[in-house]
Amino acid sequence: MSQQRALCTTRKCGLAQTTLTASGRRSFGISRHSPIPRTQVLRKRQENDVGIVCCRSRFSTISFNDPIEYQGIEGVEPLALYEPGGYHPVMVDDLLHRRYRIVDKLGHGGYSTIWLAHDEQTRRYVALKIGISGQMLPRREPSILRTLSQSVSSSGQETTQELHDASTTLPEILDVFNVRGPNGIHVCYTKTLAQGNLKEASFSRLFPIEVARLLAGRLALAVSLIHSRGFVHGDIHLRNVLVKLPSSIDELSIGDFRKTFGSPETVPVLRADGEPLPPNAPSQAVVPLYLGRMAEEFTADDARGLILGDFGEAFAPATEDRLGGDCNTPVAMRAPEALFEPDTPVSYSADVWSLGTAIWEILGMGFIFDESASMDEIVAQQIDILGAQGLPQAWREHWERPQWEELVTETEVTVPRRPADGDREAWPPLEQAFEVFVQRYRREQEAMGVFGEEETRAILELMRGMLRFRPEERMTIQEVLRSEWMTRWALPRDG
């Protein structure tokens, strides 16, 4: 089904109208009697908070049997990862830790599933993240977030408005506990419930121009805070950027919540061979629920509620190395040094590159590079848009190597190579790309606002500084905050 057809397909579900999204998942309109604002739209999406589902090799299991194959279900987590070392099987209405009632699913990622839960002690809704049981990154994220939170609260003399604004952009960890299940022991933690991510909100849509400026400024402040505390986020893209929900949602009982937003959408889990399910897997899969507004409905208050989530890839360069080949940022958002030098550690500058691509996407309706393209094609687009003059000589030699020559690094990662002539169309240079990918759509939707000539110049200057090929020549996050566009258009309007 085409995106256009899917977006127009609707059906009824309880008291809410359900719309199938471009990916075939459901979307909910809100009851007129709901205490939540009418524009708080809900719809089903595959990803929330933790970003793109990653390949299975990102963690190892202790299973001694061949992987079980399941019948495919669109929009849910990889069912084969319900095995020792993998996901914890969860069912709607389960009670975890004797206090968290599972209401619906919010999303999934390579390291966790994320659930909407009702805390029966505090009578509030929370986001409950349940990590895989493998001894890897799920145990790091709550520790890093708490370290960041403590470093902000103990900063003492640093009481600037900028620090205050930045401190509100980090997720708040409410509780951390373990759950034991058939696949092992899983680290779980709860966070303040948020709307869906900006990627879902902006699907084929534009943010109002003032909102776009605010979102970009606050995202830059979030990265600044993280870097100032000695951490690299390591996975900046709009699927990991959320917006706070109004507290009025806590006024709904679970029954009222489902009357308003519809019941969870569940699909039976079936093995491909028809055999009975093992205890490792749930009997039903839950299609994720998206809580959020559409981009054109965002307000300045929404933008001020921005939260940068998913610290599962975060690290401290002073105490640990993260090689480029181990970078799991989606390729279209990944800094080029991680592609061309996979055996070399990446650092803060990699975040700045990813932040630049995220800001571009916030300002326009699409990504600066083609997210569906191969690594080779994406690098070709980077060279088209940014120019080849800044490409380091060693990278150029790797890029222009003969088609028959393979170049694989010590970590067995292939280095990008220029696609064969005639295999692709050239992309426009930066100025023209901004006109074609950003301004054209804003002119077509004039109510969303168009960037003026002076502001466009400042934006392009910022993009050139953030998207330099050589990481040592790239702007630091503090230079980003001091840039003309940030100081004149993005940050002054935050407050």
Side-chain angles (χ1 to χ4, degrees):
M1 179 182 292
S2 69
Q3 290 185 350
Q4 290 80 5
R5 285 188 59 194
L7 285 169
C8 297
T9 306
T10 59
R11 63 182 178 85
K12 293 288 185 176
C13 179
L15 298 183
Q17 177 175 293
T18 306
T19 301
L20 297 182
T21 66
S23 55
R25 301 171 190 92
R26 56 178 182 158
S27 162
F28 292 92
I30 294 186
S31 165
R32 61 186 297 179
H33 304 295
S34 170
I36 310 300
R38 176 63 183 85
T39 51
Q40 288 288 347
V41 180
L42 285 86
R43 55 182 177 146
K44 289 291 181 178
R45 288 291 192 181
Q46 179 176 351
E47 297 143 350
N48 183 284
D49 184 44
V50 296
I52 296 175
V53 176
C54 302
C55 65
R56 190 173 175 185
S57 62
R58 287 179 65 179
F59 66 88
S60 59
T61 72
I62 57 174
S63 175
F64 297 101
N65 301 317
D66 291 335
I68 295 174
E69 294 186 9
Y70 296 90
Q71 294 184 13
I73 303 175
E74 183 183 5
V76 305
E77 64 276 16
L79 299 175
L81 298 187
Y82 281 103
E83 60 180 359
Y87 295 132
H88 177 60
V90 178
M91 297 289 294
V92 171
D93 292 328
D94 280 355
L95 185 67
L96 274 63
H97 201 48
R98 298 190 296 274
R99 64 183 287 186
Y100 299 109
R101 182 72 63 186
I102 300 298
V103 179
D104 211 319
K105 182 191 285 179
L106 295 176
H108 65 271
Y111 295 130
S112 61
T113 53
I114 307 96
W115 300 84
L116 170 65
H118 189 258
D119 184 344
E120 299 194 347
Q121 288 188 16
T122 62
R123 304 289 182 182
R124 63 186 294 189
Y125 289 96
V126 297
L128 170 59
K129 194 168 186 176
I130 306 176
I132 62 171
S133 61
Q135 300 293 317
M136 288 191 67
L137 296 180
R139 300 177 185 274
R140 295 166 46 90
E141 185 172 12
S143 174
I144 289 173
L145 283 171
R146 285 187 163 176
T147 298
L148 288 169
S149 176
Q150 291 166 1
S151 65
V152 171
S153 61
S154 62
S155 57
Q157 297 178 351
E158 296 183 86
T159 57
T160 64
Q161 182 65 36
E162 179 178 299
L163 176 67
H164 170 74
D165 291 344
S167 66
T168 64
T169 62
L170 300 184
E172 180 184 2
I173 299 296
L174 304 173
D175 191 14
V176 180
F177 58 93
N178 291 340
V179 166
R180 182 184 296 273
N183 296 326
I185 298 176
H186 306 259
V187 176
C188 309
Y189 61 96
T190 60
K191 301 183 295 182
T192 303
L193 188 63
Q195 293 187 40
N197 61 69
L198 296 191
K199 185 70 174 182
E200 306 301 347
S202 60
F203 178 78
S204 296
R205 293 174 169 88
L206 287 169
F207 292 106
I209 195 166
E210 286 291 338
V211 170
R213 291 169 178 144
L214 275 170
L215 288 171
R218 288 193 61 79
L219 183 55
L221 284 172
V223 176
S224 172
L225 175 60
I226 297 165
H227 286 194
S228 72
R229 305 310 178 197
F231 286 94
V232 172
H233 183 276
D235 199 17
I236 297 173
H237 51 81
L238 295 195
R239 290 184 179 88
N240 286 338
V241 183
L242 313 175
V243 174
K244 293 177 183 177
L245 271 173
S247 59
S248 55
I249 195 170
D250 293 326
E251 300 172 8
L252 298 176
S253 67
I254 294 177
D256 289 338
F257 182 96
R258 289 175 176 162
K259 287 178 181 178
T260 303
F261 302 134
S263 299
E265 183 178 335
T266 59
V267 183
V269 174
L270 302 173
R271 289 177 54 148
D273 59 11
E275 293 295 318
L277 291 176
N280 309 87
S283 61
Q284 293 183 320
V286 184
V287 180
L289 177 67
Y290 173 81
L291 287 164
R293 301 178 191 267
M294 299 299 96
E296 65 270 18
E297 300 169 333
F298 267 54
T299 66
D301 286 340
D302 289 320
R304 294 188 183 99
L306 178 145
I307 301 173
L308 176 57
D310 188 9
F311 284 72
E313 298 283 351
F315 65 98
T319 59
E320 57 184 315
D321 286 343
R322 177 67 54 81
L323 300 183
D326 295 327
C327 178
N328 288 304
T329 307
V331 176
M333 300 82 167
R334 194 177 306 174
E337 61 267 27
L339 303 175
F340 281 102
E341 299 179 358
D343 297 322
T344 301
V346 295
S347 192
Y348 302 101
S349 54
D351 267 358
V352 173
W353 176 283
S354 298
L355 174 63
T357 64
I359 289 175
W360 178 286
E361 192 171 8
I362 288 171
L363 301 183
M365 190 188 288
F367 202 68
I368 186 171
F369 311 118
D370 185 357
E371 294 179 84
S372 63
S374 68
M375 176 179 67
D376 293 345
E377 292 169 330
I378 287 171
V379 173
Q381 293 165 10
Q382 293 173 354
I383 294 172
D384 288 341
I385 291 175
L386 303 173
Q389 62 275 10
L391 199 66
Q393 183 60 34
W395 296 6
R396 185 187 297 272
E397 292 173 0
H398 295 334
W399 175 246
E400 295 178 347
R401 68 189 184 274
Q403 290 296 316
W404 52 263
E405 181 181 327
E406 294 296 332
L407 182 60
V408 180
T409 69
E410 295 176 3
T411 52
E412 297 184 352
V413 177
T414 302
V415 173
R417 173 167 49 196
R418 181 170 57 190
D421 293 339
D423 287 354
R424 55 178 294 274
E425 293 183 5
W427 280 45
L430 184 64
E431 294 81 355
Q432 186 179 348
F434 190 78
E435 174 62 34
V436 173
F437 300 153
V438 177
Q439 294 282 64
R440 183 183 68 179
Y441 295 108
R442 288 196 166 274
R443 289 192 178 93
E444 291 174 354
Q445 300 180 38
E446 190 173 355
M448 294 294 102
V450 179
F451 296 105
E453 182 177 346
E454 189 174 3
E455 184 175 5
T456 295
R457 176 191 53 77
I459 292 171
L460 293 176
E461 181 179 343
L462 177 61
M463 290 295 106
R464 290 190 192 95
M466 299 179 75
L467 301 179
R468 290 178 181 148
F469 283 111
R470 297 178 186 270
E472 66 273 16
E473 296 178 356
R474 212 168 290 153
M475 299 174 79
T476 66
I477 188 59
Q478 287 305 315
E479 289 172 334
V480 170
L481 292 181
R482 293 195 297 267
S483 68
E484 181 184 4
W485 185 70
M486 283 287 172
T487 55
R488 290 187 60 186
W489 282 278
L491 296 178
R493 290 167 170 78
D494 195 17

